[in-house]
Amino acid sequence: MGLDVTVGQLSLIGAEVDDEGVALAREDFAELSAALVRAGAGPHHEPETLDAGLTYEDRVGGYGSLHHLRRMAAWLAVKRVLPPPLTYQDNTAEDAVLQSFYILHNRDLASRRQQGWLGRLLKGKSPPPAFQHLLWHSDCDGWYVPQDFERVMIDPADPADGRRGMIGSAPRLLAECQVLARAIGLPPGVDPDDYDADGPTGPASDLDDWRRYQIEAYVLSRLIRACEVSIQTGAAVVFC
């Protein structure tokens, strides 16, 4: 089990000549678009066909991999320094900095739900928490659309639905990931998988570059590429 990311989902399903799957996916994207419009944002028009090479599919890693990256974001936001590297077996949920960050998130989330949908999305008086689109989005489901908006959207019409209920901005997620990539010195276009044939399992403690954070670098490279393809093609990033 792990977190997969897809861009161009409708086109990929159509290429498999899966008519039933295409119909279901169209319904999902129609619901996504309706949720955006309810929020006062623009509709989303998912492309049904994309040229070869313009879709993207990959596994970001195990669900714990994403939380390693979120831990790094919390440390940079709160302490302004990179955290000590961890191995994949380490439990990021026990990190005190990350825990404190999510306490603030829960307060912000409760306040937004009480304010009303359009008001909390577009007219909130308080700035959103740092790394909003990385940290406050679902870690296993949901969308990122190629639109620029400040806060992750939470649709009260179906709050239990991970996909329609959690909508992030691909341009904002890209910008946040680029901040983290620069912080660890990950060069643009580098695939950390090329440096670790066994997959990202932990830090290379004897090195003094981005390879100290191989897990985080691996996740960053996948999210950055997914967002770039989303912005280029107009297709949504889908977590699943």
Side-chain angles (χ1 to χ4, degrees):
M1 295 292 292
L3 175 61
D4 295 325
V5 62
T6 302
V7 185
Q9 186 182 66
L10 193 53
S11 178
L12 288 164
I13 296 173
E16 296 174 355
V17 196
D18 182 355
D19 293 339
E20 181 178 358
V22 167
L24 291 172
R26 283 175 178 159
E27 291 179 6
D28 282 345
F29 283 112
E31 291 176 354
L32 166 66
S33 186
L36 288 164
V37 172
R38 276 195 298 273
H44 175 71
H45 303 289
E46 181 71 11
E48 297 212 357
T49 57
L50 293 171
D51 293 339
L54 290 183
T55 59
Y56 181 76
E57 292 181 284
D58 209 342
R59 172 151 291 185
V60 170
Y63 293 118
S65 299
L66 183 62
H67 290 284
H68 275 71
L69 186 60
R70 289 178 167 183
R71 169 180 174 263
M72 174 180 284
W75 271 72
L76 282 177
V78 174
K79 292 184 171 292
R80 301 292 191 267
V81 296
L82 290 169
L86 295 178
T87 68
Y88 190 78
Q89 287 72 31
D90 290 317
N91 185 2
T92 58
E94 297 178 353
D95 186 89
V97 176
L98 185 59
Q99 287 178 343
S100 65
F101 223 49
Y102 277 122
I103 290 173
L104 294 176
H105 157 59
N106 289 334
R107 292 173 182 168
D108 177 74
L109 182 60
S111 174
R112 291 171 59 201
R113 281 179 170 157
Q114 292 172 359
Q115 290 172 14
W117 175 247
L118 185 59
R120 70 170 171 270
L121 172 65
L122 300 176
K123 299 179 181 179
K125 295 182 180 179
S126 61
F131 296 102
Q132 164 79 192
H133 293 264
L134 175 63
L135 282 162
W136 310 143
H137 195 274
S138 170
D139 63 355
C140 62
D141 210 349
W143 318 82
Y144 288 92
V145 295
Q147 297 185 32
D148 187 12
F149 45 84
E150 189 174 56
R151 294 177 183 268
V152 170
M153 299 181 185
I154 302 167
D155 188 353
D158 197 354
D161 184 342
R163 291 194 161 201
R164 186 152 59 102
M166 301 289 287
I167 309 170
S169 164
R172 295 288 179 125
L173 178 62
L174 174 60
E176 292 172 6
C177 288
Q178 288 172 333
V179 168
L180 295 175
R182 289 193 294 270
I184 64 173
L186 178 65
V190 166
D191 186 349
D193 203 25
D194 294 338
Y195 293 81
D196 188 357
D198 296 326
T201 57
S205 58
D206 58 330
L207 300 174
D208 191 25
D209 61 10
W210 62 265
R211 284 171 289 183
R212 294 180 61 229
Y213 297 98
Q214 288 197 8
I215 299 169
E216 294 87 348
Y218 188 89
V219 178
L220 278 171
S221 67
R222 269 71 187 153
L223 293 181
I224 287 172
R225 181 57 184 153
C227 291
E228 289 174 342
V229 174
S230 174
I231 294 166
Q232 177 186 0
T233 64
V237 178
V238 182
F239 273 13
C240 56

